[in-house]
Amino acid sequence: MMEWLIYLLKVTACTALFFGFYLLFLRKLTFFKINRFYLLGTLLLSFIIPVLQFEIKRETVVTEIQDSANVPELKSFNAVPVPLVQPVMPEYDRQAKPEINWPAIIYAVYVGVASLLLLIFLWRLLNLLKYTGNYTKNSKGLKLISKSVGFTNCSFFNYVFIDEHNISQPDMAVLLKHEEVHARQFHSADKMMLIIFKCILWFNPIVYLYDKALGQVHEYEADEMTSNAFGNQAYANLLLKLAISRSDMPLIHNFVKNPIKDRIKMLFHSKSKNMKKLMYLLTLPVVAGLFWLFAVQVVYANKLVGLKHEGLSVQDGKILFMGTNSVGSVSGEILPGKIYKTASALYKPRRVKSNKEVLTDTLKLKPVEPKIISYRKMKGDVRNQIFYLENAVMEFMNSRLEAGYVEFDHINNKILARNASLKTLDGKNTIKSTLFTFDLNKGSYRVENGEGKTGGNIHDAERKKDLLINLNDKVDYVAKDSVKMSQDKLIVSLFGNAMLSYNGVKLSGSKIIYNKKDNRVLVNDAIMTSGDTKIKADSLIFDIKTKKTKLFGADFNH
């Protein structure tokens, strides 16, 4: 739902830029037909541009690094359940407090107003069409309908509503010529299109300015062609004479629709020179800028120079180096005090306190944070922060635990659940058991007397068939400026002090593109942090699935 709102805001931004350009450069030009198509075309482009997605590949000199975040596999938790202290706090009942779903409320308000406006439009259309049953057809193909009250001296497609009793024959000829222009140019189709746009973008004030400007262009075009046949002075006098018979029906073209003053001024305005048509070419930079802002994503491609790495990896708590250089193959543990030459910089590992003097940074997993959804009754030991829940529902790591009885040790982040079922939120995987034991700090669990495997690793997405999480949903991300998502929601773009974390690995940079389909993350001006290890690079690509990383133009002096 929020993606739809973001899309509409992008459309609004496009309409604002396009209409601002019209006001500054095109509004006073007398190329009325071109202005008409500019207004219609830019409205359509405003809806199209945010939908498009293009990738531009840029080549940069890089050093290829792989497997910089190969997290050691965690063993399942097999310890017996932790003995819990008996409760000293009196039991009490509490109803789960409903959370306000603001995105759903905003979406419902938007759809409700848009639907109401569309119904009003249909009602007005039906109200107009009921007068079209009886008509007289003239030689120009216009269908004349005599009408003395309500909307008169106006047209809807080739239907013309006229007040025959209050208009002379000479004036009637001028009026019919004017309405003939509206009918032949299909101006009514433009008005219906604008009404639909206003229903969709009812919150956008720019679309109402579009509607007013397009109606004005319609009248200028019809005035120009009519005055060419009858003369500017006579036509201006007729406009003033009929100015008092206005109508507020939005679907029709009223002969004396306001502003009369602007229409008369435009009749006597000198025609724009053909050279000024070049002004319309200035629209191209505006379109290109909006395409670049909303539809283009830059992807960096690597070009290896000099030393070629197979990469850095973490295995058994040690950082290893594997690769080749101009001398020969290089592999083994990275030793402190030794300088390694790379394509872009020199890498000197820091010394740590160890008998073997090797780098032994271990990636730390982020503890799982459980969320209590509901329960029938709860009591607990406040001093030791141990809680006992009946008929409880909890969520963690995209999994839902439903249990008849739960003991939650908040300090140690451990859960014991009886007569429970554990399933993914998408419902694809489910395990039932009389006893579950969870160690959320280690991300592991144990199942006894249950259906399925007896144990597993909550964090390990690829090796466990009884996995209870979705790999993409384990990734947390945030950005200062904006977060954009592709139409299929598989590509997330983060701009301005962007951060993304996955299983203790933190990535930050000026721009991050996260592709959920192939589980890859591209970071510009990148900093990769895991535990006490920090790596800087011009850009990097992190493969969540294989836990491999490619560094581009990396600076290893840290």
Side-chain angles (χ1 to χ4, degrees):
M1 290 182 288
M2 290 305 295
E3 290 78 9
W4 178 248
L5 177 60
I6 292 173
Y7 166 74
L8 292 177
L9 293 177
K10 291 179 181 179
V11 173
T12 299
C14 292
T15 59
L17 287 176
F18 281 131
F19 192 76
F21 180 85
Y22 173 80
L23 289 180
L24 290 175
F25 300 105
L26 308 179
R27 181 168 61 96
K28 294 184 178 181
L29 299 181
T30 59
F31 308 116
F32 305 126
K33 189 179 293 292
I34 301 178
N35 280 354
R36 172 195 176 192
F37 288 110
Y38 171 87
L39 292 171
L40 292 173
T42 53
L43 260 180
L44 291 173
L45 276 177
S46 297
F47 281 87
I48 294 172
I49 289 176
V51 176
L52 302 177
Q53 292 292 331
F54 297 97
E55 289 187 354
I56 295 180
K57 293 184 178 181
R58 287 184 176 177
E59 191 176 81
T60 181
V61 178
V62 303
T63 299
E64 186 178 13
I65 301 294
Q66 297 181 1
D67 209 17
S68 66
N70 189 12
V71 181
E73 182 179 357
L74 297 175
K75 297 180 180 180
S76 60
F77 177 68
N78 294 316
V80 296
V82 179
L84 301 175
V85 181
Q86 292 301 316
V88 297
M89 183 178 70
E91 64 182 44
Y92 63 92
D93 294 333
R94 188 193 74 173
Q95 298 295 328
K97 294 182 178 180
E99 297 182 357
I100 300 177
N101 191 343
W102 288 110
I105 293 175
I106 294 173
Y107 182 77
V109 171
Y110 166 77
V111 173
V113 175
S115 301
L116 178 62
L117 293 175
L118 186 61
L119 289 175
I120 292 174
F121 160 62
L122 294 176
W123 178 82
R124 285 178 168 174
L125 179 61
L126 292 175
N127 188 47
L128 176 63
L129 293 177
K130 72 180 183 180
Y131 292 100
T132 60
N134 298 319
Y135 60 84
T136 302
K137 198 168 185 178
N138 71 353
S139 60
K140 300 294 184 180
L142 298 178
K143 298 178 180 179
L144 308 181
I145 301 171
S146 180
K147 193 171 182 292
S148 58
V149 295
F151 50 90
T152 58
N153 302 329
C154 55
S155 65
F156 176 70
F157 287 98
N158 62 338
Y159 292 96
V160 180
F161 305 90
I162 55 175
D163 184 1
E164 297 176 337
H165 304 290
N166 296 314
I167 189 170
S168 64
Q169 287 299 321
D171 291 342
M172 177 74 73
V174 177
L175 186 148
L176 292 180
K177 176 62 178 179
H178 179 94
E179 303 305 334
E180 180 187 347
V181 175
H182 284 310
R184 289 182 182 274
Q185 299 299 323
F186 296 99
H187 289 168
S188 294
D190 296 357
K191 293 187 72 66
M192 295 185 70
M193 187 183 304
L194 258 295
I195 290 176
I196 294 175
F197 284 146
K198 287 194 294 183
C199 292
I200 299 174
L201 296 176
W202 56 264
F203 59 89
N204 177 12
I206 304 298
V207 75
Y208 299 96
L209 299 178
Y210 260 97
D211 185 37
K212 181 179 179 181
L214 187 63
Q216 201 171 45
V217 168
H218 287 167
E219 298 304 327
Y220 289 162
E221 187 176 8
D223 290 346
E224 180 183 44
M225 299 181 70
T226 306
S227 62
N228 289 338
F230 294 92
N232 290 348
Q233 191 63 48
Y235 186 71
N237 292 335
L238 180 60
L239 284 175
L240 292 173
K241 183 190 302 184
L242 298 178
I244 59 172
S245 58
R246 294 171 47 206
S247 171
D248 293 326
M249 170 62 74
L251 290 169
I252 61 173
H253 285 92
N254 195 295
F255 180 73
V256 288
K257 185 177 180 180
N258 274 346
I260 294 296
K261 180 180 178 181
D262 290 341
R263 291 174 62 183
I264 293 176
K265 286 176 63 177
M266 190 60 73
L267 281 176
F268 297 96
H269 191 277
S270 59
K271 303 302 179 184
S272 301
K273 296 180 180 180
N274 285 331
M275 283 296 294
K276 289 192 175 182
K277 289 182 179 179
L278 296 176
M279 297 287 289
Y280 293 95
L281 295 178
L282 296 177
T283 309
L284 297 179
V286 179
V287 175
L290 290 172
F291 265 102
W292 182 265
L293 182 62
F294 295 126
V296 175
Q297 293 183 349
V298 179
V299 178
Y300 291 89
N302 60 314
K303 179 181 179 182
L304 300 179
V305 176
L307 178 67
K308 182 178 180 180
H309 296 297
E310 306 307 331
L312 294 175
S313 65
V314 179
Q315 295 181 4
D316 299 327
K318 301 176 182 178
I319 294 184
L320 305 180
F321 173 84
M322 298 164 287
T324 58
N325 58 19
S326 57
V327 178
S329 61
V330 180
S331 63
E333 298 178 6
I334 293 180
L335 301 179
K338 185 175 180 180
I339 298 177
Y340 294 84
K341 185 178 181 181
T342 70
S344 59
L346 299 178
Y347 171 44
K348 183 178 181 180
R350 69 182 185 276
R351 185 179 298 274
V352 296
K353 294 180 180 180
S354 171
N355 293 333
K356 296 184 179 180
E357 294 187 336
V358 295
L359 196 61
T360 58
D361 293 319
T362 303
L363 300 178
K364 299 178 181 178
L365 292 175
K366 181 180 179 181
V368 178
E369 296 291 340
K371 179 181 180 182
I372 300 176
I373 304 301
S374 64
Y375 55 84
R376 186 179 66 84
K377 184 181 295 186
M378 182 177 75
K379 54 186 178 178
D381 182 348
V382 177
R383 182 176 182 180
N384 295 287
Q385 296 189 37
I386 300 175
F387 304 97
Y388 308 85
L389 301 91
E390 295 182 9
N391 294 339
V393 178
M394 305 176 70
E395 289 184 0
F396 43 84
M397 296 299 293
N398 201 33
S399 304
R400 178 182 288 259
L401 174 67
E402 299 178 359
Y405 175 77
V406 170
E407 296 178 1
F408 177 27
D409 185 347
H410 187 267
I411 294 178
N412 297 309
N413 212 17
K414 294 180 180 180
I415 295 176
L416 183 145
R418 300 183 184 276
N419 300 324
S421 65
L422 186 65
K423 58 184 177 181
T424 54
L425 295 182
D426 58 17
K428 293 182 179 179
N429 297 282
T430 303
I431 298 178
K432 296 181 179 180
S433 176
T434 57
L435 178 63
F436 280 94
T437 307
F438 297 89
D439 187 335
L440 300 183
N441 288 330
K442 294 182 178 180
S444 58
Y445 65 92
R446 180 185 175 189
V447 181
E448 296 182 3
N449 300 325
E451 303 172 8
K453 295 190 176 182
T454 59
N457 188 314
I458 296 178
H459 288 284
D460 192 348
E462 294 299 317
R463 303 183 185 126
K464 300 297 179 183
K465 295 300 182 181
D466 57 346
L467 171 69
L468 299 177
I469 58 175
N470 184 310
L471 183 61
N472 289 325
D473 290 339
K474 296 195 302 179
V475 179
D476 297 322
Y477 49 81
V478 67
K480 179 180 179 181
D481 293 343
S482 64
V483 177
K484 300 195 299 183
M485 190 170 293
S486 61
Q487 187 177 15
D488 57 8
K489 302 181 182 180
L490 294 179
I491 298 178
V492 181
S493 300
L494 315 172
F495 300 93
N497 292 336
M499 296 184 64
L500 181 144
S501 62
Y502 166 75
N503 278 4
V505 178
K506 295 183 179 179
L507 304 172
S508 60
S510 60
K511 178 181 179 181
I512 296 179
I513 298 178
Y514 171 34
N515 190 324
K516 295 184 179 181
K517 186 176 182 180
D518 57 13
N519 289 308
R520 290 199 172 193
V521 183
L522 169 66
V523 186
N524 292 344
D525 302 323
I527 298 177
M528 183 175 185
T529 305
S530 178
D532 295 329
T533 303
K534 180 182 290 186
I535 298 176
K536 296 182 179 180
D538 293 341
S539 61
L540 64 81
I541 297 177
F542 177 51
D543 192 320
I544 295 176
K545 186 175 182 180
T546 63
K547 302 181 179 66
K548 296 181 179 180
T549 304
K550 294 182 180 179
L551 301 183
F552 296 73
D555 178 9
F556 292 103
N557 294 316
H558 64 278

